[in-house]
């Protein structure tokens, strides 16, 4: 396969997300992002396309092609999909993969077996060396948090299927964890609400449109509404309806509790001196779902800690990996595992 981005350079970073895989090389301009899916022929069960192309053909002919995801709740569900995806993405961005170091973000608590499977797949795709870094550590590096200073920094990356959190200080990890919460949980709750309360079947795209336009994590000050179309569950007729922001807030409020409890628990288990730093300097949110309206305000109100959302929050993990590539020696403590073509790096 001919590389589309010859400027990717020697180091390539890959953040395999539940919804989107982001690959970065060289500088910030060399970035590619495509859906984390493969399309399979429904009869032959053979993989026929990856990423954007897979998304296109599955949308057009859902009877002939089926999409398979790589991750569920942050963990690998299909190793054949992983091999195909890594091969596709890495070879698409690099002409000289045989000389490349590849940095991959992984969830906290990935088992040794899973780590080795991931590293083997990267080496089999053709890379020279592979380094694994926990996703929230990469996010913290991507946000340029002062992780080497004697002060506590906390980052929370909220994606589609998982939330990765870490507290860092003095060049080490104080605590890190991955929980099963993400934007996909909000989608599921909204879908259930629309089905039950409106009696309408709607597409995933409609739910995403509702979420991105008026979903909110704090009680709305001014009521906004969103008009949408769906198929009546009783008679099959297409009709329009209107959903209000205050209803959506109620739905989201229930879903958010798990996330808020997990953050509280992590802070409770942290040394008071480090918590005092967080009270002063705040928590940084990254990941696509950090863009949910009112989310930083909501977390801040629950915890009494300032919270801010990073600029371009959804690319902070891959940016952090790429920054780490330039600094691999000083970041050795953050490398979860590594492997070279002829064994361990
Ligand atoms: N403006 C927005 N408001 C609310 N949610 C948003 C917004 N923009 C993106 N999202 C949500 O962010 C999520 C995707 O985030 P991201 O790309 O970080 O996930 P991912 O990396 O693929 O998944 P994960 O890290 O969980 O494996 C989706 O649920 C998407 O709907
Ligand atoms: Mg992610």
């Amino acid at each position: 396969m001919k590389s589309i981005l010859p400027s990717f350079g020697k180091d390539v970073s890959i953040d395999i997300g539940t919804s989107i895989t982001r690959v970065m090389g060289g500088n910030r301009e060399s970035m590619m992002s495509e859906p984390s899916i493969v399309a399979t022929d429904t009869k032959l069960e053979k993989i026929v396309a990856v990423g954007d192309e897979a998304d296109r053909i599955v949308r057009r002919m859902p009877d002939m092609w089926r999409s398979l995801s790589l991750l569920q709740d942050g963990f690998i569900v299909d190793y054949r999909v992983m091999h195909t995806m890594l091969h596709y993405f890495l070879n698409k961005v690099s002409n000289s993969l045989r000389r490349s170091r590849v940095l991959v973000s992984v969830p906290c608590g990935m088992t040794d077996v899973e780590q080795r499977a991931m590293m083997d797949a990267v080496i089999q795709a053709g890379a020279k060396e592979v380094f694994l870094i926990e996703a929230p550590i990469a996010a913290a590096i991507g946000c340029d948090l002062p992780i080497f200073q004697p002060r506590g920094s906390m980052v929370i990356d909220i994606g589609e299927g998982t939330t990765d959190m870490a507290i860092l200080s003095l060049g080490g990890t104080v605590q890190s964890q991955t929980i099963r919460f993400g934007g996909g949980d909000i989608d599921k709750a909204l879908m259930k609400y629309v089905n039950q309360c409106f009696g309408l079947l709607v597409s995933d795209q409609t739910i995403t449109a509702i979420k991105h336009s008026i979903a909110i994590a704090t009680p709305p000050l001014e009521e906004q509404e969103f008009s949408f179309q769906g198929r009546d569950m009783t008679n099959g007729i297409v009709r329009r309806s209107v959903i209000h922001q205050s209803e959506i807030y109620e739905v989201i409020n229930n879903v958010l509790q798990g996330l808020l409890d997990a953050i509280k628990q992590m802070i409770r288990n942290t040394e008071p001196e480090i918590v005092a730093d967080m009270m002063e300097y705040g928590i940084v949110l990254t990941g696509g779902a950090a863009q949910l309206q009112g989310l930083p305000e909501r977390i801040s109100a629950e915890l009494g800690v300032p919270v801010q959302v990073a600029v371009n929050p959804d690319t902070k993990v891959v940016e952090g990996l790429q920054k780490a590539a330039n600094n691999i020696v000083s970041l050795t403590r953050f490398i979860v595992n590594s492997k070279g073509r002829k064994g361990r790096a």
Side-chain angles (χ1 to χ4, degrees), residues 15-18 20 22 135 157-160 162 164 287-288 314 317:
D15 167 20
I16 308 167
T18 307
I20 294 178
R22 299 175 173 92
D157 183 273
I158 313 169
E160 161 75 10
T162 58
D164 303 291
D314 47 352
V317 170

Side-chain angles (χ1 to χ4, degrees), residues 222-327:
E222 266 176 51
E223 186 72 287
Q224 285 186 43
E225 56 184 41
F226 188 91
S227 167
F228 67 100
Q229 180 172 292
R231 193 173 287 281
D232 193 294
M233 289 164 90
T234 50
N235 58 21
I237 292 173
V238 173
R239 64 174 161 87
R240 292 202 78 79
S241 204
V242 169
I243 189 164
H244 294 90
Q245 203 172 31
S246 49
E247 309 173 71
I248 299 177
Y249 163 68
E250 293 297 337
V251 174
I252 290 183
N253 193 29
N254 293 330
V255 184
L256 278 184
Q257 211 48 56
L259 170 70
L260 296 169
D261 290 345
I263 304 171
K264 275 186 204 157
Q265 189 61 41
M266 195 156 181
I267 294 179
R268 237 179 255 136
N269 294 340
T270 303
E271 296 295 321
E273 292 76 13
I274 292 182
V275 176
D277 292 339
M278 281 154 48
M279 303 284 270
E280 189 174 345
Y281 301 106
I283 297 173
V284 178
L285 303 186
T286 63
Q291 298 169 98
L292 176 70
Q293 242 187 94
L295 188 58
E297 293 81 4
R298 177 66 193 276
I299 297 175
S300 181
E302 291 271 337
L303 303 172
V305 176
V307 180
Q308 62 177 55
V309 180
V311 179
N312 299 322
D314 47 352
T315 56
K316 283 292 169 277
V317 170
V318 76
E319 284 173 39
L321 291 173
Q322 198 58 13
K323 283 180 189 164
N326 298 328
N327 239 324

Side-chain angles (χ1 to χ4, degrees), residues 45-61:
E45 277 299 316
K46 195 171 156 254
I47 295 175
V48 290
V50 187
D52 281 335
E53 177 66 9
D55 194 41
R56 248 191 313 274
I57 67 172
V58 172
R59 270 179 212 273
R60 280 211 196 111
M61 288 177 286

Side-chain angles (χ1 to χ4, degrees), residues 140-267:
I141 297 168
C143 294
D144 292 321
L145 294 186
I147 58 173
F148 288 99
Q149 285 181 22
R151 96 174 203 206
S153 300
M154 182 170 191
V155 66
I156 306 175
D157 183 273
I158 313 169
E160 161 75 10
T162 58
T163 294
D164 303 291
M165 328 184 195
I167 299 175
L168 303 152
S169 184
L170 280 169
T173 307
V174 178
Q175 282 195 67
S176 67
Q177 69 164 329
T178 294
I179 62 161
R180 291 168 186 206
F181 173 82
D185 294 290
I186 297 176
D187 294 0
K188 275 184 220 140
L190 285 175
M191 183 65 95
K192 194 170 161 200
Y193 182 77
V194 168
N195 293 162
Q196 287 179 350
C197 296
F198 291 80
L200 286 174
L201 290 172
V202 294
S203 64
D204 293 344
Q205 286 82 359
T206 298
I207 293 296
T208 305
I210 294 173
K211 184 174 74 170
H212 289 193
S213 51
I214 63 165
I216 190 158
T218 47
L221 298 174
E222 266 176 51
E223 186 72 287
Q224 285 186 43
E225 56 184 41
F226 188 91
S227 167
F228 67 100
Q229 180 172 292
R231 193 173 287 281
D232 193 294
M233 289 164 90
T234 50
N235 58 21
I237 292 173
V238 173
R239 64 174 161 87
R240 292 202 78 79
S241 204
V242 169
I243 189 164
H244 294 90
Q245 203 172 31
S246 49
E247 309 173 71
I248 299 177
Y249 163 68
E250 293 297 337
V251 174
I252 290 183
N253 193 29
N254 293 330
V255 184
L256 278 184
Q257 211 48 56
L259 170 70
L260 296 169
D261 290 345
I263 304 171
K264 275 186 204 157
Q265 189 61 41
M266 195 156 181
I267 294 179

